[in-house]
Every structure is written in structure tokens, then in C-alpha cells.
Amino acid sequence: MQDADVLVIGSGIGGLTAGALLARYGRRVIVCESHAIPGGAAHSFVRQGFHFDSGPSFYAGLSDPKSLNPLRQVLAAIEEPVDAIAYDPLGHYHFPEGTVPIYGNADRYRQTIAQVTPTGAAEYESFEQELLQLYQGLCEIPTLALRADWQLVWVLLSRYAWPTLKLVPQLGNIQASVGEVMDRWVEDPWVRRLIDLECFLLSGLKADGTVAPEVAFMLGERSNSVIDYPIGGSGAIVQALVRGLEKWGGHLRLNAHVEQILVEQGKAIGVRLKQGEELRAPIVISNATIWDTYAQLLQPEDLLDGYRQAALETPTVDSFMHLHLGIRADGLQELTGHHVVVHDAQDITAPGNTCMISIPSVWDANLAPVGHHVVHAYTLEPYAGWQRNANYETRKRQKAEPLFRALEKVIPDLRQRITLELIGTPLTHAYYLRRYRGTYGPAIAAGTAMFPSCHTPIAGLYRVGDSTMPGIGVPAVAASGILCANTLVDPAETAALVAKSIANR
Ligand SMILES: Cc1cc2nc3c(=O)[nH]c(=O)nc-3n(C[C@H](O)[C@H](O)[C@H](O)COP(=O)(O)OP(=O)(O)OC[C@H]3O[C@@H](n4cnc5c(N)ncnc54)[C@H](O)[C@@H]3O)c2cc1C
């Protein structure tokens, strides 16, 4: 007896996109989430009337039917669009030498750069043009049409032959790092640091580690679509995916921690929950990270030693320090929603040096009680050395200090305004997100190794999420869910869904 056609472990954006799409394709899907709140890194939580994003707040194209954002394509396919508020500039970057507004609009972005360095702006334009050519090439093949098996070749040749041909001259850049493209065009040190920073914000790695298509996609979407924020916060996106999953017949089970993936004769046959219950299905998709899936959910004998060892040695990006604050909003009418503060001339990746700030109640006032703002600030912090011992509280305060100082650059009297303060450490991050060492994701630098895709050596076991394909972030993770779901259905089913989605735009 099978409980479902597909079991999904985890309701991150990767698990929910795969689950909702497979339900849309008519498969019986159960998503098991360890926590009481779905969404993984993208979940929202409420304290004292403040609606906090636990992670993402930079989004693009949610309110634009023509957007290439894979998440937007999934929401359209499951007929659960999300309302969003468009804004530009998308943020302010505060460097030690001064603050610059960052625009999605390419012309305005270049004008900002030109005010700092006119030669740098000209160099940047050439860099941008090269990446935008790649974006243009990718534009004509919707992510929703893609899959991760040999049938992709047939899909591309039969349905997207001309756009695929047009991509041939771009093959070099599809494989390249942003650093390689930058080296061809940009010498100006200020612009090189700006590009490094943008890459770091996206992938956790600087330009030489980030793959070119990821930044091409970001620049293209920023300029050709809209930067927008979902009304209701990132939780609104999660809720839309859950509604879609359930509307098409799937089920989400919360507080359902999967303890083990059941494998018989080299084939996944189901999962065992922490409470002992077993669920059976011929397909199991893990949205847990590569490290959690292979070290925690499978038995060592389920995988060949060499494969398991190599997978577990995948390098990690660090974890985070978080500050979630509720603050009084009086006198802050000019406040904008996104800020990145680089404290000093140290490397931008040094823990505490680059701090990301998001104040989403600027766009959606309902996220905070009347007269207040909701604030999320975070910075990278290594997991190693963190323990809940006698020093924990002191260390927590000390490591949160760069975040307070960053916020003071934006709101000088911040400390007097705080009405609610939550400090999160790498231990908090690992616990609430169920992620190995609280990592942001894999640190697989461009050109050093291949991402493993959704396939595993175990028949019937697939993986989705940020450790399956390049590009940590919601669009890439949604793409991983699409590729996995499509791989499990006939290409004709996908073609019908793509046609319907385009007609529904
Ligand atoms: C602080 C921060 C800020 C970010 N900002 C942005 C941004 O602005 N824009 C952007 O695009 N991206 C951003 N990202 C990245 C983006 O949020 C993530 O890449 C993405 O949400 C990861 O999704 P996922 O599906 O791979 O995994 P996850 O979100 O990690 O989801 C995995 C899920 O699986 C569950 N799970 C794990 N193990 C089990 C188990 N054994 N049983 C049951 N359930 C289990 C977990 O509880 C979790 O819900 C940010 C990330 C962070 C941390």
C-alpha cells in the first residue's frame, strides 16, 4: 500500500515548488515538514505583532507576468499569484567612504557609479552588456519547461531549437565565473569591489566564485522586470505555495520530522517519521541539505563510501548572526527598506564586516504595529565554536554589535527606539532552519566542481534546494523544484502546463 505517489521531506521553497508542481501534474503528494511553520529559510514568524522574515527579502518579478523568475512561473502554474509592491532604488550600499543608492534600472545604476568613478561606469557598462547578452539568450526558454534528464535535449530541440541555437555563442559564459567576465572589462577597484559585493550578497562568494548566469539573471531581471516585495512578507509566498499544493490535492504535514529515508535493495520506498510512523511512496524528494540528507537521513550502507564521503566534503558558506527588532517609527518617514553596510576595508566576506538590513514595513505597514517598523539585520558568522555554555549570552551580544553599528548608520538613534529585540546565532539558525551547521549553502566556487542536480545514486530518491544546482537564493531554489518535478513527469505534461501558464498570464 502506498500513502502517496511522492513524499517530500521539507517545506522550503525547493520542497514546496516541487511538491506543488507535482500535485498540479496530478500526483498524490505529501510534504513532511519538521517545524510548526512551513517555508524553511523563507518562513515568517510573528512576535508581539511584528511579522518577521527569517531570511529572504530581496525579490524580483513577483508582480510581473513577463518575469523570468522561476518562482513567479511556479506561482502562475499553480494559479496562486502573490501581490507585491514594486520599488526602486532597491537599496542603499553604505561603504566606509560614503553611501550610494542602487537602482534596478540599469541606466540609473550606471549614473550612480559614474558619480563615483566615470571610467569605472564605462567599464561596468561593457561588463553588464556581456552579461545581459547571456540573459537575453536565456529569456526565450522558460525555466518551467526544463527538466534534469536526457529528455531535456529532446525538449530543447523540439520546442526551443532556435533559442537554443542562439545560446551556442554564449556557452563560454554559461560555464564562466563572474570574475572571468569582470577581468575582461573592469579594472577600476571601486567597481570591482561593487561587483564582488553584489556576488557575495547573491551567492555567499565573491565574483571569482559566482557563476555568470546567476548574475546575468539578476541584472536582467532587475532591469527588465521589477524589484518588488510580497505583501505580507516572505511568508505570503510560502502560504501561496502551500495553498497551491493543497488546492491541487497535495498535503502538508507540519511537526513531521523525517528521521530516516527507507531504502530497500537500492531503492527509496518511503520515510520514517520521528514519532515512528512510516509513510510509503515510490518517489522520495529530500529538501534537506546535501549534508543532512546523506549524513542524517540515510544509513551509511545506503550509499557507496566514496560517493558519500565526497558529498559530505562539499564546502559550506558560513552561518549567520541575526537581529530581529521591533522599533518605534516616529520621525522615520524618509526611511528606505534595504541597506547593506560594509564597515571597513577588510575583506567583504569577513564575519561582521558586511551587514544586510531589511525594513519591510516600509513597503507593507501591516507587518508592524501602528507607529512601528520591523527590522531584520544579518551578517555571516562561522558556526565553529558556538556552544550554549556560560559564555553564550555574552558572546551573542558581542557578535551582534556589528549589526547594531550597521543599523546606526541608517537610524542613528536606533538603540533608543527598540521595543522588541531578538538576537539569533548560528545555533539558532541551524535549529530553526534544520540546516547542517546553520550554513547558508554550499560554497562550490565556479569552475571547481559540478553541482549534483536533483539525482542521487538511490533509485526513487531525488533532492531539491540550494545544494543541488548553482545559485543560492529563492529563484535558483524554485528552479531546482521545477527541474525535479518535470524530471518525474512526461515531457508532454510539461508542455501542456507551460502552454496553459503562458495563456493565463
Ligand atoms: C538570512 C538569509 C537571507 C536571505 N536573503 C535572500 C534574499 O533576499 N533573496 C533570495 O532570493 N534568497 C535569499 N536567501 C536564500 C534563500 O532564502 C534560500 O536559498 C532558500 O530559501 C533555501 O530554500 P531550500 O528549499 O533550499 O531550503 P530550506 O529553506 O533550508 O528548507 C528546507 C526545509 O526542510 C525542512 N527539513 C529539513 N530536514 C527535515 C527533516 N528531516 N524532516 C522534515 N523536514 C526537514 C526544514 O525545516 C526546512 O523547512 C536568504 C537566506 C538567508 C538564510
Side-chain angles (χ1 to χ4, degrees), residues 406-473:
L407 276 161
E408 281 172 332
K409 297 219 162 144
V410 182
I411 308 168
D413 60 348
L414 172 98
R415 293 186 208 236
Q416 286 81 58
R417 292 175 173 275
I418 298 172
T419 59
L420 173 64
E421 178 185 294
L422 306 168
I423 301 176
T425 69
L427 297 185
T428 328
H429 192 93
Y431 174 75
Y432 280 106
L433 273 56
R434 296 275 189 267
R435 291 179 70 94
Y436 168 75
R437 295 172 74 83
T439 177
Y440 180 52
I444 302 179
T448 59
M450 293 290 283
F451 274 77
S453 93
C454 62
H455 298 281
T456 76
I458 298 175
L461 177 63
Y462 296 81
R463 292 196 313 107
V464 291
D466 56 24
S467 46
T468 59
M469 55 182 284
I472 301 171

Side-chain angles (χ1 to χ4, degrees), residues 202-238:
L202 201 61
S203 69
L205 300 170
K206 290 196 289 189
D208 56 4
T210 304
V211 290
E214 197 178 347
V215 171
F217 176 81
M218 176 189 80
L219 293 177
E221 280 293 283
R222 272 186 188 178
S223 191
N224 296 310
S225 185
V226 287
I227 312 292
D228 50 8
Y229 182 80
I231 294 174
S234 63
I237 292 173
V238 174

Side-chain angles (χ1 to χ4, degrees), residues 10 12-14 33-34 40-41 56-58 257-258 287 435 465-466 473-474 477:
I13 299 290
E33 167 56 48
S34 180
S57 60
F58 285 92
H257 181 80
V258 172
N287 186 201
R435 291 179 70 94
D466 56 24
V474 170
V477 162

